[in-house]
Every structure is written in structure tokens, then in C-alpha cells.
Amino acid sequence: MAAISSAEAAVYDRQIRLWGLDAQKRLRNSSVLLVGSRSLAAEVGKNVVLSGVRRLTIVGSDSKGEISRERTFLDSKNPGNEGKEDVPSHFVQNLRRLNPMVHVAADDGNVGDKDETFFQQYDVVCLTQSNKSTMLRVSKICRRNDVKFFGGATFGYFSFFLSDLGKRPHVFVEEEKTVEQMKLTGVTKKKSEDVKMVQKEFTSVSFESALGFKPKPGKSLKRVPKVYFYAHIWLQFREKFGRFPYADCDVEASEELHAIRTVAQKLVEEWGVDESFIPSHFYGKCGVELVPVSAIVGGILSQEIIKKCAA
């Protein structure tokens, strides 16, 4: 890897001190594909650009006939083309201003139209606010081509993201000898020569398996986070209607509220859960992107992306 310039060393000084020069070099040679331009994508894009990757490409979402998107801190104050572009031009321009050393570009079209060769040029692919079929298709392509994959969304007070990291090394601790017990102030100690660190290859759970898991009623269901169930309702709605729920669906008599409840009721019957499992505020807010939620989830998601680029 080429040496880091003095200008890069000055900009990334704190990061280099945190995770080392080699990790920063690997970051600088990484390419990331980000799908979407809503609030979650804005948070992820900001953090990835500031970390110092080589290239960030942004592609439009898979939504057809989408209603106007919520504004983000990367949008223009006077949007003239809002709703007309797959990725708003000001979204990309403002990301470039955050770190001119990173090549930020928008790709025409939407992710659903891209073929397999398109994804092969990236180290990490991250889909935000996409529908289920698109995430499954892209995750399979990434798994075949050893590209790290992340998919996530925020909806109201809830959110989720899942990853498919394929095969990766993992360090395990193995005991070589019988552990010598030493009673010293009630603490058991091991001799240093009794253990060794061994690196083995670990295959992560596929995105398809993680998203396709269906818990059985009873104890199995209690061990599953409730947000996993809420995510399936949101994904089923996206898949059925090809869009996000409207933000004003909290009106009790609205057709939108009825549509969401119908999707939820079907899953309630399939999973064998009580309808009280779903909080009442879920229906009224699942079509809204709350900026604080996106900020928190986007921070955690981008942290995982940066870790994989630097590994």
C-alpha cells in the first residue's frame, strides 16, 4: 500500500492514533456502495466519508413512484429538483464538502436494475430503506463475490440492520494443557503457557437465513427481540405496496392505517402472537423517519462498515 501523504496524516491524525496507520491505509483503499438518500443513508454516508475511504458511490433506492422524501441535513435549503432525482445533487455535493479527499459520486438509476458485475467493484455494500426482495437479491450477489453486505432501515421509533460478512478470520482461545488451579485469594489463575491464540475461518450467517428465521410460539418467540417482528411488518408492507407507509397514517379511519393493520394481522396469525404484541404507536409512526433514531442507528451501522473496511 502506498504511503499516506502529509495532508492525509494531518486530517486523519486522531484516527491513526486510535486504530493505527495500517488500518487507515486499508480504509483509504476501500470502496463503499451506499443505497438510498434518506436520513439513515445521510448519517451513514457522513461517517463513512469522514473516516477516509477511497470511494463512496450512492445509488437511488428501489422505490417506484415514491412520495417526496423527508429532508436531511445533506439536502439543499432550496431544493429545486426534489423528487425528480434518484439521488439529489446537493446530497452528493454536501458529502464531498465534508471530506474532499474522498471520491463521492452518484450512480444513475436504482439498485434493482444493477447486475452482478456492478457490485463486484466494492468492498462493502450497504442498503438502507430498501424492500425485502432487493436486499435478498443483493445480499446473495455479495456473498458469492466475497463483498461485505449490510441492510437496514428505520421506521418511527424502531429500526434494524443485519449483516452478511461471508467468510472471515476469527481468533479463538484454546487450552493446550490441563489448567493448573491456584487458590490465591479465591481466584483461579491460568499459566500463560497453558493457553494459545488460534486463528480460524468463520462463516457468518447469511442475510437470507437471518431475515428468514421464524420463531415458534412460546419460549422461542420470547427470546426474539420484538423489533424483529416489527421489521417484518414494515418489510411486508414495502414489498406489497412498493413504497413507504404514509406519515399521516395515524388517523384512525384512514385507509393507510387499515392497510398496515391488515399486513400486521396476517403476520400475527402466521407467528401465533397476540395482537397486543404490537404497540399502538407503531402504526402511526412506522411511516416516519425520526432524525434522532437515524442518527443513533446510522452511527452504529457506519461504525460496523468502517471496521470491516479497516480490517
Side-chain angles (χ1 to χ4, degrees):
M1 290 182 285
I4 284 184
S5 66
S6 57
E8 289 175 307
V11 172
Y12 305 129
D13 177 70
R14 294 178 65 183
Q15 296 175 189
I16 293 172
R17 293 173 187 272
L18 177 63
W19 51 55
L21 182 60
D22 289 340
Q24 188 62 45
K25 286 181 178 179
R26 287 190 288 270
L27 260 175
R28 191 186 60 169
N29 291 320
S30 299
S31 296
V32 178
L33 175 67
L34 177 62
V35 176
S37 58
R38 298 167 76 95
S39 62
L40 180 59
E43 293 291 343
V44 173
K46 174 200 68 176
N47 294 330
V48 169
V49 164
L50 291 175
S51 73
V53 297
R54 177 171 63 89
R55 177 175 54 141
L56 174 67
T57 303
I58 305 171
V59 180
S61 71
D62 46 31
S63 302
K64 303 292 185 181
E66 186 62 76
I67 59 172
S68 61
R69 51 192 281 283
E70 286 82 354
R71 297 179 49 71
T72 74
F73 64 90
L74 292 175
D75 288 325
S76 169
K77 294 182 179 179
N78 300 299
N81 294 322
E82 185 172 339
K84 299 179 181 179
E85 299 173 300
D86 292 310
V87 180
S89 57
H90 284 88
F91 188 95
V92 176
Q93 292 171 11
N94 288 328
L95 276 177
R96 289 172 181 160
R97 293 190 185 101
L98 291 176
N99 191 350
M101 294 181 181
V102 176
H103 178 70
V104 182
D107 192 280
D108 295 332
N110 65 70
V111 67
D113 300 328
K114 304 299 180 183
D115 58 16
E116 186 160 343
T117 56
F118 175 78
F119 299 98
Q120 293 172 351
Q121 58 186 311
Y122 298 99
D123 300 292
V124 176
V125 172
C126 177
L127 271 64
T128 64
Q129 309 297 113
S130 293
N131 63 41
K132 183 177 179 180
S133 58
T134 299
M135 287 195 287
L136 288 173
R137 172 181 173 268
V138 176
S139 67
K140 291 176 183 178
I141 292 175
C142 291
R143 193 172 181 86
R144 285 197 299 267
N145 293 278
D146 195 27
V147 176
K148 305 297 184 286
F149 174 84
F150 293 87
T154 63
F155 40 96
Y157 298 110
F158 304 101
S159 65
F160 79 95
F161 76 82
L162 298 170
S163 62
D164 189 339
L165 306 178
K167 294 181 179 180
R168 55 194 175 95
H170 189 78
V171 177
F172 295 86
V173 177
E174 285 191 352
E175 296 183 4
E176 283 190 314
K177 303 177 182 178
T178 303
V179 180
E180 180 180 349
Q181 302 293 333
M182 296 182 64
K183 293 184 178 181
L184 179 62
T185 64
V187 178
T188 300
K189 290 189 175 182
K190 298 178 182 179
K191 288 184 177 181
S192 59
E193 62 267 21
D194 290 337
V195 296
K196 65 176 181 178
M197 308 298 287
V198 179
Q199 181 171 294
K200 296 182 179 179
E201 192 174 68
F202 171 76
T203 302
S204 66
V205 176
S206 69
F207 184 85
E208 182 179 20
S209 298
L211 199 60
F213 173 72
K214 184 178 178 181
K216 297 178 181 178
K219 292 183 178 180
S220 176
L221 184 61
K222 291 181 180 179
R223 292 196 294 266
V224 177
K226 291 184 178 181
V227 71
Y228 182 76
F229 183 72
Y230 308 153
H232 273 276
I233 297 175
W234 187 85
L235 288 169
Q236 290 282 7
F237 185 94
R238 288 277 283 117
E239 199 70 22
K240 182 176 180 179
F241 296 98
R243 60 172 175 80
F244 300 96
Y246 295 140
D248 60 351
C249 63
D250 57 343
V251 180
E252 189 64 34
S254 71
E255 294 182 4
E256 190 75 357
L257 180 63
H258 175 72
I260 297 173
R261 287 189 182 276
T262 300
V263 173
Q265 184 59 41
K266 184 178 179 181
L267 280 175
V268 164
E269 295 172 359
E270 287 180 5
W271 288 35
V273 300
D274 191 272
E275 197 166 0
S276 61
F277 196 71
I278 309 171
S280 58
H281 60 76
F282 170 81
Y283 298 107
K285 294 292 185 290
C286 66
V288 180
E289 286 179 290
L290 299 177
V291 174
V293 175
S294 294
I296 295 170
V297 178
I300 300 171
L301 177 53
S302 56
Q303 173 183 284
E304 294 302 312
I305 292 173
I306 292 168
K307 282 166 58 178
K308 299 314 167 190
C309 289

